[in-house]
Amino acid sequence: YIGELDSDDYVYTDKYNEALSDIGKAIAIDGNNPLYYVQEALIRLAISQLYVSWGQQSQAKSQYFLAETKCDTALTFKRNYWPALYCRSISRYLRDTIRKSVDDSESAIKHGGRGISYVENFNAYINAQYKGRHKHMAKQNVMDFLKEGVNGLMDIKGLKK
């Protein structure tokens, strides 16, 4: 399982391909575990930000769509699975589909993410943007939210199913 495979260590050292390999192994062991698909999606979102930093927007966009597909897969195993809704919310935010991002973020809170700081912080941030409270504010570096999500979702025992 993921805790044993140390995928979170790979993410923080930018060894994304190794992290994806570990996730692939976990999915091969237990392909019905929605958390593994969310973890892959988080890694893909981290990869997308590398592409953004390199000016490769089309590559970043393909990672957003792959992340959303993985979240959708997780949601087929467990409807309203808040980690998948949270992760998909980040991806939709990155794609500038703020209304859908807000919807997913609020659903994540409603279905289990309440009281989890990184979920609530992201929700507050995108709601403020959506409602126009911070029109002049630059888009926050989403890596902060990704790192918090990785910390929170890479090693959670109670979220496995």
Side-chain angles (χ1 to χ4, degrees):
Y1 290 98
I2 291 302
E4 298 166 12
L5 297 171
D6 296 320
S7 285
D8 56 335
D9 292 338
Y10 292 139
V11 170
Y12 285 115
T13 58
D14 294 335
K15 294 183 179 179
Y16 298 114
N17 288 329
E18 291 177 55
L20 287 174
S21 175
D22 276 0
I23 295 296
K25 291 174 188 174
I27 289 170
I29 292 168
D30 183 5
N32 295 321
N33 188 332
L35 181 58
Y36 295 153
Y37 296 96
V38 173
Q39 291 169 333
E40 180 177 342
L42 287 167
I43 294 165
R44 292 200 175 279
L45 290 176
I47 291 169
S48 76
Q49 296 309 285
L50 279 178
Y51 285 124
V52 167
S53 72
W54 298 332
Q56 298 177 4
Q57 295 302 327
S58 65
Q59 293 289 356
K61 189 175 181 179
S62 70
Q63 293 298 315
Y64 304 151
F65 285 111
L66 286 170
E68 286 178 40
T69 299
K70 293 301 175 179
C71 292
D72 291 342
T73 300
L75 290 166
T76 65
F77 291 110
K78 188 172 182 182
R79 186 175 175 198
N80 296 319
Y81 187 53
W82 75 262
L85 293 165
Y86 167 73
C87 186
R88 190 171 68 182
S89 178
I90 293 173
S91 182
R92 288 178 167 176
Y93 169 78
L94 289 168
R95 287 194 306 112
D96 290 323
T97 54
I98 302 297
R99 177 68 249 162
K100 288 181 178 182
S101 177
V102 168
D103 290 346
D104 277 347
S105 181
E106 290 177 353
S107 290
I109 288 173
K110 179 180 175 183
H111 296 288
R114 186 170 311 286
I116 299 172
S117 63
Y118 56 89
V119 177
E120 290 193 353
N121 291 343
F122 184 67
N123 185 61
Y125 175 74
I126 61 175
N127 264 296
Q129 272 202 338
Y130 180 69
K131 294 175 182 171
R133 293 188 191 135
H134 299 288
K135 288 181 181 176
H136 62 282
M137 186 169 80
K139 189 177 273 194
Q140 182 169 335
N141 181 353
V142 109
M143 285 304 289
D144 296 335
F145 295 116
L146 286 174
K147 285 178 184 177
E148 289 176 350
V150 167
N151 276 337
L153 295 173
M154 284 303 219
D155 213 14
I156 295 180
K157 308 293 183 223
L159 288 177
K160 286 188 176 176
K161 287 191 180 180

